[in-house]
Amino acid sequence: MSIRILGTGSYVPEKIVTNDDLAKLVDTSDEWIMQRVGVKERHVSEGETAADMAAKAAERAIESAGLKGEDIDLIIAASISGETLSPTVAGMVQKKIGATCPAFDVNSACSGFLFALDTAVSYMMRGYKNILVIGAERLSKLVDWTDRSTCVIFGDGAGAFVIAPGDGYLSSKLYTSGDNSVIEIPSFGGSSPFYKADLKHPYIFMDGQETFKFAVNKIVEDIKEVTAAANLTLDDIDYVVTHQANIRIMEFASKRLKVPKEKFVINIDKYGNTSSASVAIAFDELNRSGRLKRGDKIVMSAFGGGLSSAACVIEW
Ligand code: UT7
């Protein structure tokens, strides 16, 4: 027993911030951002929380699955930017969509959605029927808007799948190497009478070049491994949906894997890097484009903070 994807949904806040808008805040340019990262614009929350966006993406996924909120029997959300550790993003979504099922969050930064999906597959094997899996981020509240090396990259948004029993999850891989020297994302760090907090990185910290090296190695290795584990060759893969961190990472993967760029779903230009939401948003756009047909093989791959990476192959 494995899973099939019954419905997908995504949501981004209305406000669009262009590269030219950012050039008024920091010393950067549309040309640099397009050439080095591939982002043209990103959507930024003007107050909506990760849970608000998650609920909207979830409602769209539930609708596309032909279900109602009360039909969902488990919710797993991936996020690094919820307003509160408790209630969780998944818990807030449960209330907003009118479900009464268990709900919990997982955190594996930009790989989080694929970790959540893999967790959901295990629960499906235990008899759950309709599981809602979400990636949702309000990164704009974690970014230092005076730091040009990070503020031009990230964006806000959410994506969601509803999964049901099936046989469409062909293989998967999860990877973690606990390390805070390359990427560090802060959480609340208050002082007490007995301890004075000394937050080294009050905002998202990323050593861009080291992360880039990690990303290009992992994306290639993981996609090869999960494809082989599914008893497929790369020629059998119809679409590649990866974390949207940098257009150059996807181009590099396309060359190294010899998989044509046309098979890669690319939307980084519109949304930037939305961390755990990015694979789910890209997959939803692929689904809604009407290009998917029954039997298509799709590889998903993500990488980032942790350091972590994850990949899987599904059959549509
Ligand atoms: O989601 C988690 C996974 N994340 C990733 O996979 C991200 C991986 N890393 C990257 O995508 C890239 O490393 C970045 C986009 C973050 C940076 O691109 P880069 O080509 O590695 O640039 P760099 O950090 O090596 O900086 C090159 C130059 C520097 O100037 P100097 O020292 O050569 O004079 C930077 O100060 O570019 C400068 N720079 C900028 N210039 C204009 C850095 N940010 C900017 C900017 N605008 N926004």
Side-chain angles (χ1 to χ4, degrees):
M1 154 97 70
S2 105
I3 59 128
R4 72 198 159 101
I5 298 168
L6 214 57
T8 66
S10 59
Y11 175 83
V12 289
E14 204 177 311
K15 182 165 180 64
I16 293 175
V17 176
T18 65
N19 291 345
D20 290 336
D21 294 333
L22 286 179
K24 291 175 198 145
L25 296 177
V26 289
D27 181 14
T28 191
S29 65
D30 179 52
E31 194 191 0
W32 191 93
I33 303 170
M34 279 304 285
Q35 267 177 15
R36 305 304 299 165
V37 202
V39 185
K40 187 82 191 157
E41 57 191 35
R42 70 286 293 144
H43 292 247
V44 174
S45 164
E46 293 177 286
E48 286 169 297
T49 66
D52 292 334
M53 294 184 266
K56 288 190 172 132
E59 278 161 3
R60 290 175 183 177
I62 292 167
E63 192 192 0
S64 94
L67 298 176
K68 298 244 175 306
E70 63 258 33
D71 299 324
I72 299 298
D73 54 10
L74 180 66
I75 304 172
I76 307 176
S79 184
I80 51 169
S81 53
E83 301 302 306
T84 48
L85 283 175
S86 180
T88 58
V89 169
M92 308 269 258
V93 170
Q94 184 240 39
K95 189 170 176 208
K96 285 173 196 283
I97 66 169
T100 53
C101 60
F104 62 88
D105 285 3
V106 301
N107 168 2
S108 192
C110 302
S111 314
F113 181 74
L114 294 185
F115 272 70
L117 183 63
D118 205 65
T119 308
V121 173
S122 305
Y123 275 93
M124 196 63 83
M125 290 168 171
R126 290 173 50 185
Y128 285 82
K129 293 273 179 295
N130 299 311
I131 305 182
L132 177 60
V133 187
I134 306 168
E137 302 291 1
R138 183 185 180 184
L139 296 172
S140 55
K141 76 180 178 113
L142 294 177
V143 163
D144 178 356
W145 287 90
T146 64
D147 173 11
R148 69 177 182 172
S149 71
T150 50
C151 76
V152 304
I153 298 168
F154 296 105
D156 297 334
F161 287 2
V162 174
I163 61 168
D167 44 23
Y169 196 70
L170 306 187
S171 65
S172 69
K173 179 191 170 187
L174 306 178
Y175 169 87
T176 306
S177 91
D179 177 4
N180 63 352
S181 64
V182 179
I183 301 180
E184 191 169 79
I185 301 164
S187 126
F188 175 69
S191 297
S192 81
F194 316 104
Y195 165 76
K196 189 170 172 355
D198 180 19
L199 262 193
K200 205 160 105 203
H201 301 124
Y203 300 102
I204 291 180
F205 163 80
M206 182 171 73
D207 178 335
Q209 289 194 359
E210 282 306 312
T211 310
F212 195 93
K213 280 184 227 157
F214 170 76
V216 291
N217 287 330
K218 273 311 197 187
I219 193 173
V220 170
E221 177 190 312
D222 288 356
I223 290 176
K224 277 186 184 165
E225 270 185 36
V226 290
T227 303
N231 290 319
L232 298 170
T233 69
L234 289 167
D235 287 341
D236 299 322
I237 300 295
D238 298 287
Y239 296 101
V240 181
V241 183
T242 74
H243 176 39
Q244 308 286 307
N246 190 317
I247 185 84
R248 290 186 289 130
I249 294 173
M250 292 180 266
E251 286 168 351
F252 182 90
S254 159
K255 270 201 199 106
R256 278 270 296 273
L257 294 166
K258 299 194 179 64
V259 172
K261 201 175 156 191
E262 296 67 51
K263 288 192 177 181
F264 282 68
V265 178
I266 296 174
N267 64 10
I268 186 172
D269 51 321
K270 291 189 288 180
Y271 307 120
N273 175 344
T274 56
S275 189
S276 71
S278 88
V279 167
I281 295 174
F283 196 102
D284 181 50
E285 290 202 341
L286 172 65
N287 183 18
R288 284 171 194 267
S289 73
R291 283 184 287 160
L292 284 177
K293 50 184 196 316
R294 208 163 169 69
D296 276 352
K297 312 286 186 304
I298 303 141
V299 63
M300 292 187 262
S301 161
F303 44 82
L307 293 169
S308 67
S309 75
C312 63
V313 178
I314 61 141
E315 181 172 333
W316 188 246

